[in-house]
Amino acid sequence: MEALILEPSLYTVKAVIILDNDGERLFAKYYDGSYPSTKEQRVFEKNIFSKTQRSDSEIALLEGLTVVYRSSIDLYFYVIGSPYENELMLTAVLNCLFDSLSQMLRKNVEKRALLENMEGLFLAVDEIVDGGVVLESDPQQVVHRVAVRGEDVPLTEQTVSQVLQAAKEQIKWTLLR
Amino acid sequence: MLALFLKRGHGGGSNPFQHLEKSAVLQEARVFNETPINPRKCAHILTKILYLINQGEHLGVMEATESFFAMTKLFQSNDPTLRRMCYLTIKEMSSIAEDVIIVTSSLTKDMTGKDDNYRGPAVRALCQITDSTMLQAIERYMKQAIVDKVPSVSSSALVSSLHLLKTSYDVVKRWVNEAQEAASSDNIMVQYHALGLLYHVRKNDRLAVNKMLSKFTRHGLKSPFAYCMMIRVASKLLEEEAGQLLLSLKISMQLLLCSYEGCFRAISTLPSLIATLAITTLLKTGSESSIDRLMKQISSFMSEISDEFKVVVVQAINALCQKYPRKHAVLMNFLFTMLREEGGFEYKRAIVDCIISIIEENSESKETGLSHLCEFIEDCEFTVLATRILHLLGQEGPKTNNPSKYIRFIYNRVVLEHEEVRAGAVSALAKFGAQNEEMLPSILVLLKRCVMDDDNEVRDRATFYLNVLEQKQKALNAGYILNGLTVSIPGLERALHQYTLEPSEKPFDLKSVPLATAPNAPVAVVKQPEKVAATRQEIFQEQLGAIPEFRGLGPLFKSSPEPVALTELETEYVVRCTKHTFVSHMVFQFDCTNTLNDQILENVTVQMEPTEGYEVIGYIPAKTLVYNQPGTCYTLVALSEEDPTAVACTFSCMMKFTVKDCDPNTGETDDEGYEDEYVLEDLEVTVADHIQRVLKPNFGAAWDEVGDEYEKEETFTLSAIKTLEGEGVSELLTFLLAPFRSLTGRLLGQSCSYCDNKLAQASKTQKSIPSPMGTRLDCGRQESILHSTVSGRQTFPEAFQIPPEDLCLLQDVSFLVHPP
């Protein structure tokens, strides 16, 4: 019975990890000392990647830790918790992260889009989990708080007037120096 | 300048961060010193730095500090994203760079500033760089932040306080009042964080935790996260201090589970076993108001789980029905919907059981319940269930307001189904005919048609019932149709077997079979037992029958249900007595135990001295009583021949025996012994010992069957009883049934709606009320007993009838005593 009762605590998340199609780390944040060195972390990430790459299910118990995961196109998202942790809580975190990114990347949850919006990712994770504590579970709130200034419109897609406007701004600032 | 724009291209398929080099990136950070600050560019550089750190790149103290200082310049810009990236950088570098506290004032300004978007993250960054001494300086701001109306600010403050507990426990401890206030917030995350913080602070104080738990469960929690936390807290407390807190926590858990909305969402994602357990827990801890909601949620879920789990859920619903009888309508609807769907036998049987128990408990639900069951049997593939329902219809249908509507359903079964169902339907029809006079002609017509059936059983039953009904005698109806066999079936089997072995001129006498003390199995038995277990009565019968002296006594009428102790438990000799009643004798069985290990008793008998009426015939001794091994001796006593009414008697008892000393270790006994005696408590024999319960499922019919011969009418004045209803009736019952107390323990104090009605009617007429004393105790000797009790100066009961089901109708006089 003792083993089944987790010490009540707000510290529910051990790590949040995003890997690419080859299992390479795009983002990882470890909140407790489970894997102190980078080397150990990479081994762990390799491990979970190989175990979950082809699997369709959403949850696994690996290396004595609960791993909930989700994949999208060419990205793999993981949220790690203790083996006795409430899986639904971890899933809530995972889904919040995924849905927030989905909104921020305009439903384009894939590697290229993510890399172009790394700031958004950092900020989003910062809003969702703080030091291992679930800070927010509502993706709408997260997106609102992240409030990254409008998405990067690549130069070739901007209208001519927009480009000229931006150029004017820049020249103005330079002249004021 | 334009070049700046062109630089930002899309990297195609490759990773723009792929070939970053730490020193190059940190070099770029020099840009931070330039003015005006280019927010986009700077933010991007910060991103690259953070990315590197994230990839595990190690930053030295010098370079980290340098970059940190450069970053502080970026506070001059008001760009939100840039500012946010600064906060992130501060947090990342707080453990690497030195002198990070220089940003304290900027962060404090942001924390208390106007821009809500900055405040939450600023708090978090600030708390990351603060140490204990600094914390006191910003304590005021922290407290304000905790109770701030903006949820993100409050959450950030609470979570940061939590982190600070590790280093500055004493300071954070002072903020519990603010945290308490935050805990009543509507925002689910704020509530969660506040409760978490409170728990972490008070973790070692069990009393405080308990108070917190009960307070918040009483007021309800909005946050599912908070719920999970509280459940864990509760279970932890349970683990630590089970006894004391059990009750209050149990209540807390019930409240928690009941209102946890998230539980419903969860059910659809969990594997079916766990989901079923979750549902049954919800059902068991459900409150009356939540039942409607529960049922809606569950019905969609039921189609997904397998039969065994469905049965579990149905049983939980059954328990719920017992608890909340007023909700029967909702629950019945649900059960019927489930009944109409696909399902295996066990599952449907569980549902039918549940419905029947609701109908039996709750008279309001009867009509709807029965109509639904009728619909069900139209299309039921399980004959066992169909026959069971038909039996129920036969029992309950005639009592409803509109019995004829059930006839159609029942008769259809006679026409359409298998022979077992047809037979059951015929019995049900007969019951209707026996109880409803108006319907009798139609029933007779229907039964005549059944006489032509293909199957033996159906024809036999139809012919039998037809003949009985055509006599149009209530007594016959009651005896043969409505009440069925009153004797115990195994006993009947044994008696018949005995009869066939010893051919005799006399016809078989049903009265020689012992009565059934427990209700016989209903019409349809699902599993035929391999061997019918012998009842206690039969065991005694066999034991006594083995003793030659007792052979001539005839069948055993009754044995006392529990042995009477004639000594205390701790005495040297422990004696208990069981009373066996025969036609004109009584046998007292004494189970004696010798608790002295240095003695052996031999030739043990119990001498009895009756006060009146009885005559001691003989003793069967127990040969020896060794230490701690019980032995039995018997005393045979004859009932008085002259006065059959003298059944009550007190016997003074004395145990007589020969004592031989014995060595406790070796067990050797002396050869010589001496006579000794041991006084026991007096033994009472009352009227109750001569009365056996007879179960009459249909009270009304049994009453009518008895007829007027044994009715006694008396008139009494009530002086001490103030109101007739309720209280008056129970006093009545208590008084009159005093002699039968041992039989009718449950009876006393029960209210009887029939009585209430009769009394209410009567009370409307006059004060001193003449009305028939409807005590139907049809035994000659009982009249005289009533005489003796009635003549006492007491307030007497008035018109009443003994409530059904528990009626003790005595058998014929010949069973008990010589005819008067």
Side-chain angles (χ1 to χ4, degrees):
Chain A
M1 188 60 177
E2 295 86 69
L4 291 175
I5 293 179
L6 195 59
E7 169 74 29
S9 164
L10 288 188
Y11 295 99
T12 51
V13 181
K14 283 185 184 278
V16 175
I17 302 170
I18 304 179
L19 303 178
D20 71 2
N21 239 346
D22 305 315
E24 294 298 324
R25 179 199 285 196
L26 288 173
F27 173 85
K29 203 111 172 69
Y30 290 80
Y31 298 107
D32 74 353
S34 298
Y35 297 95
S37 74
T38 315
K39 189 146 170 254
E40 288 174 354
Q41 290 172 2
R42 293 221 186 259
V43 168
F44 175 64
E45 285 155 31
K46 231 188 191 59
N47 194 9
I48 56 173
F49 182 73
S50 61
K51 295 267 168 58
T52 61
Q53 189 187 14
R54 261 168 237 105
S55 167
D56 236 356
S57 55
E58 307 165 350
I59 184 170
L61 195 66
L62 296 172
E63 294 196 24
L65 295 171
T66 307
V67 179
V68 300
Y69 57 96
R70 194 164 166 179
S71 66
S72 164
I73 306 175
D74 54 359
L75 290 174
Y76 291 82
F77 295 80
Y78 302 87
V79 175
I80 320 285
S82 127
Y84 310 115
E85 189 52 66
N86 185 334
E87 297 83 350
L88 292 173
M89 236 187 217
L90 298 175
T91 313
V93 172
L94 181 68
N95 289 333
C96 181
L97 175 61
F98 192 89
D99 294 334
S100 316
L101 281 178
S102 181
Q103 273 205 350
M104 284 166 21
L105 303 176
R106 283 164 127 239
K107 306 239 196 273
N108 222 7
V109 186
E110 49 152 6
K111 180 171 166 183
R112 188 162 73 91
L114 189 66
L115 286 170
E116 284 176 3
N117 206 344
M118 275 312 258
E119 295 152 4
L121 172 63
F122 285 133
L123 292 173
V125 176
D126 185 55
E127 286 296 332
I128 297 173
V129 184
D130 182 279
V133 179
V134 179
L135 195 57
E136 181 54 65
S137 62
D138 180 8
Q140 295 298 337
Q141 285 293 319
V142 174
V143 172
H144 175 69
R145 289 176 202 170
V146 167
V148 178
R149 78 176 96 73
E151 58 284 335
D152 286 351
V153 185
L155 193 61
T156 52
E157 286 171 26
Q158 281 181 349
T159 64
V160 176
S161 56
Q162 278 177 319
V163 175
L164 285 175
Q165 182 67 20
K168 260 195 243 173
E169 284 285 311
Q170 198 63 24
I171 293 167
K172 195 169 70 178
W173 277 111
T174 322
L175 291 173
L176 285 173
R177 230 211 291 186
Chain B
M1 303 316 135
L2 279 171
L4 286 168
F5 292 106
L6 291 170
K7 242 198 223 170
R8 330 188 71 249
H10 24 273
S14 67
N15 181 347
F17 297 95
Q18 199 149 31
H19 302 293
L20 287 179
E21 216 241 296
K22 179 184 73 170
S23 43
V25 173
L26 291 178
Q27 194 85 330
E28 283 187 58
R30 299 244 183 92
V31 168
F32 298 162
N33 295 310
E34 294 172 10
T35 48
I37 294 165
N38 182 333
R40 258 199 157 97
K41 187 174 169 193
C42 296
H44 194 62
I45 296 172
L46 285 178
T47 310
K48 287 197 274 196
I49 297 176
L50 289 176
Y51 182 86
L52 281 171
I53 297 176
N54 200 271
Q55 288 289 326
E57 190 73 48
H58 175 74
L59 259 60
V61 176
M62 283 303 296
E63 42 192 8
T65 314
E66 253 185 59
S67 315
F68 188 88
F69 271 73
M71 178 216 53
T72 56
K73 302 268 169 33
L74 297 176
F75 270 79
Q76 292 166 31
S77 163
N78 217 9
D79 181 81
T81 308
L82 182 59
R83 185 63 61 87
R84 300 289 310 278
M85 293 308 288
C86 289
Y87 295 148
L88 279 186
T89 316
I90 293 171
K91 286 207 271 190
E92 286 295 328
M93 294 216 185
S94 61
S95 49
I96 321 169
E98 287 178 338
D99 298 325
V100 289
I101 54 174
I102 59 167
V103 287
T104 306
S105 56
S106 307
L107 288 173
T108 317
K109 203 171 100 185
D110 280 350
M111 180 177 150
T112 52
K114 285 199 213 87
D115 198 331
D116 285 339
N117 273 336
Y118 288 168
R119 293 170 63 208
V123 170
R124 286 184 275 136
L126 183 58
C127 291
Q128 190 104 353
I129 61 169
T130 300
D131 62 22
S132 302
T133 43
M134 293 251 15
L135 193 56
Q136 309 226 22
I138 58 164
E139 190 170 349
R140 182 160 57 96
Y141 300 119
M142 285 302 291
K143 283 191 185 179
Q144 280 172 2
I146 290 176
V147 295
D148 197 286
K149 290 285 172 280
V150 178
S152 68
V153 177
S154 180
S155 275
S156 301
L158 287 164
V159 176
S160 304
S161 311
L162 181 67
H163 297 319
L164 286 169
L165 268 181
K166 292 188 205 116
T167 50
S168 316
Y169 180 83
D170 293 319
V171 180
V172 178
K173 206 172 57 164
R174 303 202 281 258
W175 306 344
V176 286
N177 286 332
E178 282 75 16
Q180 193 91 345
E181 199 183 311
S184 346
S185 159
D186 281 339
N187 182 295
I188 59 172
M189 295 316 290
V190 173
Q191 189 174 59
Y192 171 56
H193 296 139
L195 285 172
L197 179 64
L198 285 171
Y199 174 72
H200 277 271
V201 170
R202 293 172 174 157
K203 171 150 77 164
N204 295 320
D205 182 355
R206 203 168 294 143
L207 203 58
V209 174
N210 190 18
K211 251 179 25 186
M212 182 176 91
L213 194 60
S214 34
K215 173 174 178 211
F216 284 107
T217 51
R218 224 180 309 126
H219 294 143
L221 292 174
K222 295 202 175 63
S223 162
F225 292 102
Y227 264 120
C228 287
M229 171 107 196
M230 287 296 117
I231 290 171
R232 291 233 185 98
V233 172
S235 14
K236 183 132 203 326
L237 282 176
L238 266 174
E239 189 193 297
E240 286 174 359
E241 186 92 56
Q244 241 182 33
L245 300 170
L246 204 57
L247 198 58
S248 59
L249 287 174
K250 193 173 125 187
I251 300 167
S252 314
M253 299 274 273
Q254 282 176 343
L255 290 172
L256 285 170
L257 289 169
C258 241
S259 327
Y260 177 28
E261 295 291 340
C263 207
F264 295 121
R265 267 186 284 133
I267 285 168
S268 55
T269 58
L270 291 171
S272 46
L273 171 61
I274 300 177
T276 312
L277 289 173
I279 291 232
T280 45
T281 316
L282 277 173
L283 287 168
K284 283 184 188 143
T285 56
S287 72
E288 204 164 342
S289 49
S290 65
I291 288 183
D292 296 307
R293 234 178 348 127
L294 264 175
M295 290 297 126
K296 277 200 213 104
Q297 301 273 3
I298 292 176
S299 45
S300 54
F301 163 76
M302 286 298 274
S303 49
E304 292 166 17
I305 53 173
S306 71
D307 262 14
E308 322 154 320
F309 298 136
K310 283 189 204 175
V311 172
V312 173
V313 176
V314 171
Q315 285 164 351
I317 293 179
N318 201 350
L320 201 62
C321 290
Q322 311 288 342
K323 263 195 344 186
Y324 300 117
R326 281 187 301 184
K327 282 287 169 181
H328 66 89
V330 175
L331 294 166
M332 286 262 265
N333 267 338
F334 178 71
L335 288 168
F336 281 120
T337 321
M338 297 210 300
L339 200 55
R340 277 188 217 109
E341 289 164 11
E342 293 286 315
F345 171 67
E346 286 297 333
Y347 170 54
K348 298 240 163 149
R349 185 166 72 98
I351 301 182
V352 170
D353 284 342
C354 186
I355 294 171
I356 291 180
S357 72
I358 300 181
I359 290 178
E360 280 170 358
E361 298 279 326
N362 199 331
S363 48
E364 288 166 17
S365 63
K366 208 173 277 201
E367 295 268 341
T368 36
L370 290 177
S371 339
H372 280 136
L373 284 175
C374 283
E375 274 176 46
F376 172 62
I377 55 175
E378 302 233 288
D379 198 20
C380 171
E381 66 246 21
F382 302 113
T383 47
V384 168
L385 291 181
T387 43
R388 179 136 181 249
I389 293 175
L390 283 169
H391 179 77
L392 179 73
L393 282 173
Q395 246 183 316
E396 302 286 340
K399 299 183 202 156
T400 59
N401 293 331
N402 193 2
S404 47
K405 73 178 176 187
Y406 300 114
I407 300 294
R408 178 173 66 82
F409 287 102
I410 301 178
Y411 187 64
N412 280 343
R413 306 275 72 68
V414 174
V415 175
L416 297 171
E417 301 270 2
H418 301 207
E419 46 277 358
E420 295 107 342
V421 181
R422 295 206 297 274
V426 167
S427 301
L429 282 177
K431 290 204 178 107
F432 274 85
Q435 296 188 22
N436 290 50
E437 296 235 6
E438 322 81 65
M439 289 175 32
L440 187 57
S442 336
I443 298 281
L444 289 176
V445 170
L446 293 175
L447 282 176
K448 283 197 184 102
R449 291 196 210 148
C450 301
V451 171
M452 302 301 191
D453 193 277
D454 285 338
D455 179 67
N456 279 339
E457 173 75 22
V458 179
R459 281 201 304 271
D460 286 347
R461 287 197 193 192
T463 319
F464 174 70
Y465 290 133
L466 203 54
N467 278 319
V468 170
L469 286 172
E470 275 170 351
Q471 312 278 339
K472 294 201 172 97
Q473 286 191 33
K474 291 222 162 153
L476 289 180
N477 285 356
Y480 293 114
I481 301 180
L482 295 171
N483 278 322
L485 216 51
T486 52
V487 298
S488 96
I489 292 180
L492 179 61
E493 195 184 324
R494 198 172 308 115
L496 284 170
H497 183 66
Q498 197 74 17
Y499 183 76
T500 55
L501 290 178
E502 300 163 11
S504 154
E505 291 289 325
K506 294 186 304 178
F508 178 72
D509 186 4
L510 198 62
K511 298 208 179 66
S512 67
V513 182
L515 297 172
T517 48
N520 284 326
V523 169
V525 178
V526 179
K527 293 182 194 133
Q528 298 290 346
E530 296 298 329
K531 287 189 302 191
V532 181
T535 61
R536 200 168 152 271
Q537 178 120 336
E538 284 132 23
I539 295 174
F540 280 135
Q541 179 127 28
E542 286 196 36
Q543 284 178 348
L544 294 172
I547 301 175
E549 288 85 342
F550 296 157
R551 286 235 178 96
L553 298 179
L556 175 63
F557 173 57
K558 179 190 168 154
S559 306
S560 61
E562 299 228 345
V564 179
L566 294 182
T567 64
E568 304 276 306
L569 284 174
E570 305 298 320
T571 48
E572 303 101 322
Y573 313 115
V574 178
V575 178
R576 297 189 314 171
C577 175
T578 311
K579 299 175 266 190
H580 302 286
T581 317
F582 290 85
V583 176
S584 34
H585 295 83
M586 282 191 77
V587 172
F588 298 99
Q589 170 183 336
F590 297 97
D591 296 307
C592 316
T593 311
N594 169 21
T595 66
L596 300 174
N597 60 359
D598 58 349
Q599 281 187 357
I600 286 195
L601 310 186
E602 284 185 359
N603 210 14
V604 184
T605 60
V606 177
Q607 312 268 346
M608 300 172 82
E609 284 287 328
T611 47
E612 56 177 273
Y614 285 84
E615 191 193 325
V616 175
I617 309 260
Y619 303 101
I620 312 289
K623 290 270 157 33
T624 53
L625 280 184
V626 186
Y627 169 60
N628 252 355
Q629 283 184 16
T632 314
C633 67
Y634 299 90
T635 305
L636 175 62
V637 150
L639 271 59
S640 160
E641 300 213 355
E642 303 94 38
D643 183 8
T645 60
V647 278
C649 175
T650 311
F651 291 85
S652 50
C653 302
M654 178 115 72
M655 196 165 93
K656 290 207 165 127
F657 46 87
T658 312
V659 179
K660 288 189 181 166
D661 289 324
C662 114
D663 187 355
N665 300 317
T666 63
E668 288 175 19
T669 59
D670 293 348
D671 289 327
E672 288 286 321
Y674 53 92
E675 299 283 328
D676 199 0
E677 40 185 58
Y678 186 76
V679 178
L680 304 172
E681 290 180 17
D682 288 345
L683 182 66
E684 285 232 12
V685 173
T686 62
V687 176
D689 293 314
H690 297 271
I691 301 177
Q692 176 67 292
R693 285 169 72 139
V694 174
L695 292 160
K696 295 279 183 187
N698 194 322
F699 171 71
W703 183 275
D704 293 327
E705 182 193 354
V706 167
D708 296 335
E709 228 183 294
Y710 293 106
E711 182 172 335
K712 185 174 175 70
E713 274 200 29
E714 291 277 349
T715 308
F716 302 101
T717 314
L718 295 181
S719 42
I721 297 182
K722 300 270 180 334
T723 60
L724 289 171
E725 291 159 34
E727 199 190 300
V729 172
S730 41
E731 281 188 41
L732 248 162
L733 292 175
T734 317
F735 180 79
L736 203 76
L737 295 174
F740 313 118
R741 207 165 279 142
S742 64
L743 285 179
T744 59
R746 200 160 57 103
L747 178 64
L748 304 177
Q750 248 182 0
S751 73
C752 166
S753 54
Y754 186 96
C755 306
D756 287 341
N757 279 335
K758 261 266 188 270
L759 290 173
Q761 274 174 23
S763 67
K764 285 188 194 132
T765 54
Q766 315 159 44
K767 258 196 188 171
S768 105
I769 302 148
S771 38
M773 164 104 109
T775 323
R776 302 288 190 139
L777 299 167
D778 46 331
C779 163
R781 81 163 65 168
Q782 207 50 40
E783 273 185 85
S784 40
I785 291 181
L786 275 177
H787 256 296
S788 56
T789 52
V790 149
S791 61
R793 293 271 171 277
Q794 298 230 8
T795 56
F796 287 124
E798 216 239 294
F800 77 100
Q801 281 181 345
I802 303 174
E805 288 96 39
D806 274 354
L807 178 74
C808 38
L809 280 180
L810 306 181
Q811 286 289 288
D812 282 0
V813 169
S814 63
F815 216 121
L816 285 179
V817 82
H818 303 295

